[in-house]
């Protein structure tokens, strides 16, 4: 049996940038070249709406293929967090809503395998995480567990 499903959900993402990747200009920056980035992350919260075609292989086992759209709903907290160590002292900075290059909309390709009310899923972004005018572009992927009730 083949069916179409939709719904509404909430998604929280923390994107970690590694290897000293410093992709945001904060109001204050390290004063010397003798510093190391300990962490650099982007926090984003979405209201999501999935639309999937479901292949019901038996009563409890299903395969889902589709898309998930999302709107960033908490722009006052979405932004970069950077922690760096300079001259032995650690500094943590938050950009908050000052980061204006974050794309407020997302569209992901979605695949899932369900057993009973549990779905193991994988998503890949079809839209860039940042607006086209930003100096970096990224298309994140995610995977996890959804519980349907």
């Amino acid at each position: 049996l083949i069916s179409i499903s939709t719904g509404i959900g909430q998604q929280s993402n923390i994107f970690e940038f590694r290897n000293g990747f410093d992709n945001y200009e904060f109001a204050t920056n390290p004063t010397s070249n003798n510093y190391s980035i300990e962490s650099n992350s982007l926090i984003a919260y979405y209201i999501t709406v999935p639309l999937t075609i479901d292949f019901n292989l038996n009563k409890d086992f299903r395969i889902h293929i589709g898309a998930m759209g999302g709107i960033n709903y908490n722009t006052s907290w979405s932004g970069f967090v950077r922690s760096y160590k300079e001259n032995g002292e650690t500094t943590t900075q938050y950009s908050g809503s000052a980061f204006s290059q974050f794309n407020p909309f997302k569209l992901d390709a979605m695949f899932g395998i369900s057993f009973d009310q549990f779905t193991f899923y994988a998503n890949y972004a079809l839209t860039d995480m940042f607006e086209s005018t930003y100096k970096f572009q990224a298309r994140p992927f995610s995977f996890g567990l959804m519980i349907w009730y």
Side-chain angles (χ1 to χ4, degrees):
L1 180 65
I2 298 174
S3 61
I4 295 177
S5 296
T6 190
I8 190 165
Q10 187 274 336
Q11 189 176 65
S12 301
N13 300 119
I14 300 175
F15 301 101
E16 292 286 333
F17 299 94
R18 308 264 176 183
N19 299 324
F21 186 71
D22 195 9
N23 55 345
Y24 181 74
E25 294 296 324
F26 285 85
T28 59
N29 287 300
T31 56
S32 70
N33 290 330
N34 186 24
Y35 72 95
S36 63
I37 302 292
E38 294 180 343
S39 68
N40 191 4
S41 58
L42 173 66
I43 303 164
Y45 302 98
Y46 294 95
I47 295 293
T48 58
V49 177
L51 179 62
T52 61
I53 297 173
D54 305 322
F55 300 92
N56 301 295
L57 303 177
N58 67 35
K59 180 182 171 194
D60 293 326
F61 187 73
R62 297 172 306 283
I63 295 175
H64 314 275
I65 299 172
M68 182 182 301
I71 298 173
N72 180 274
Y73 73 89
N74 195 357
T75 56
S76 64
W77 181 241
S78 292
F80 282 99
V81 177
R82 174 175 72 177
S83 180
Y84 65 89
K85 186 176 276 190
E86 181 178 32
N87 300 324
E89 186 175 321
T90 299
T91 302
T92 301
Q93 297 171 302
Y94 303 90
S95 71
S97 61
F99 182 71
S100 62
Q101 297 295 314
F102 186 69
N103 191 347
F105 303 103
K106 65 183 272 167
L107 180 64
D108 294 351
M110 181 180 175
F111 174 78
I113 297 175
S114 294
F115 182 75
D116 197 21
Q117 67 191 39
F118 301 98
T119 300
F120 297 96
Y121 71 89
N123 293 347
Y124 176 74
L126 300 174
T127 55
D128 289 321
M129 185 169 32
F130 305 113
E131 292 182 353
S132 61
T133 56
Y134 193 58
K135 59 185 173 181
F136 298 107
Q137 292 301 320
R139 291 194 177 188
F141 67 91
S142 62
F143 57 90
L145 174 69
M146 288 190 289
I147 301 172
W148 302 83
Y149 55 96

